[in-house]
Amino acid sequence: MTEPVPHVVAVASSPAHDFSKDLRSSVQVVEGLGVVGDAHAGNTVKHRSRVRADPTQPNLRQVHLMHAELFDELAEAGFDVGPADLGENVTTRGVDLLGLPRGTRLHLGETVVLEVTGLRNPCQQINDFRPGLLKRLVLPDGQGDVVRKAGIMTVVERGGTVGVGDRIEVELPAGPHHRLQMV
């Protein structure tokens, strides 16, 4: 079986701080801000709990990416979850998002470049969406660490349009590579 060409499966945005986002055929992203019209776009943090802690923090969570392979895995476990359901802006296939080091540059389509900042930390809202789902997204690795599977966060280095079917190229940073941590 051949590996799929890394590509964008779905894109989504929502002007409200809803859990799930609305699927689109394409989204515009702006350098240093995020997805146009999305509640999480901005140069300072927009995630509600982080705004309460310190609204002046830089926004390291401008664009949320999640791998479609996770939805395949969840379906096998009996969960009906698809693109945009968990609040991601870009759903990918063919890229090991969780294995990327911090600082990786993802080239989407013709112009967009996103820089990987860290992991999304899934919260209780995931269980409110689908009871029991949080245990599938945050789990022990058997070596004392916790594995977080709810996607990665990025900042926009170069803006443009991201659409369904766009190819993705991965540009790893110069070494040494640093594992992704929560942002």
Side-chain angles (χ1 to χ4, degrees):
M1 185 173 180
T2 61
E3 293 293 317
V5 172
H7 66 281
V8 174
V9 171
V11 293
S13 65
S14 175
H17 282 278
D18 297 326
F19 184 71
S20 298
K21 295 192 184 291
D22 301 316
L23 289 170
R24 316 277 185 205
S25 59
S26 65
V27 293
Q28 288 292 121
V29 296
V30 176
E31 181 180 328
L33 295 177
V35 177
V36 172
D38 191 77
H40 292 97
N43 60 358
T44 57
V45 67
K46 300 301 176 198
H47 192 273
R48 287 189 261 184
S49 66
R50 293 166 193 271
V51 168
R52 282 191 298 272
D54 177 4
T56 66
Q57 295 176 70
N59 188 2
L60 301 178
R61 301 164 58 102
Q62 294 173 357
V63 182
H64 176 200
L65 287 82
M66 193 169 294
H67 50 297
E69 292 85 354
L70 175 63
F71 303 138
D72 301 340
E73 178 185 323
L74 293 173
E76 289 178 16
F79 290 94
D80 179 22
V81 180
D85 283 348
L86 299 180
E88 78 277 10
N89 299 108
V90 178
T91 307
T92 67
R93 186 167 293 280
V95 179
D96 178 14
L97 295 178
L98 302 178
L100 297 173
R102 189 177 71 233
T104 297
R105 297 171 82 218
L106 299 172
H107 300 258
L108 285 71
E110 296 296 317
T111 61
V112 173
V113 179
L114 305 177
E115 182 180 332
V116 177
T117 57
L119 296 170
R120 174 188 183 193
N121 188 28
C123 65
Q124 178 58 37
Q125 285 183 312
I126 288 176
N127 271 345
D128 297 340
F129 176 71
R130 296 279 189 278
L133 184 57
L134 186 59
K135 285 194 256 182
R136 299 287 178 163
L137 300 179
V138 180
L139 52 140
D141 70 354
Q143 300 172 358
D145 285 327
V146 174
V147 175
R148 290 172 177 80
K149 294 184 171 185
I152 64 170
M153 307 309 284
T154 67
V155 294
V156 182
E157 188 174 297
R158 189 168 61 222
T161 301
V162 178
V164 173
D166 281 354
R167 290 180 68 123
I168 301 170
E169 292 182 29
V170 176
E171 179 186 346
L172 296 174
H177 292 170
H178 301 281
R179 276 183 53 198
L180 296 179
Q181 303 295 318
M182 294 180 304
V183 294

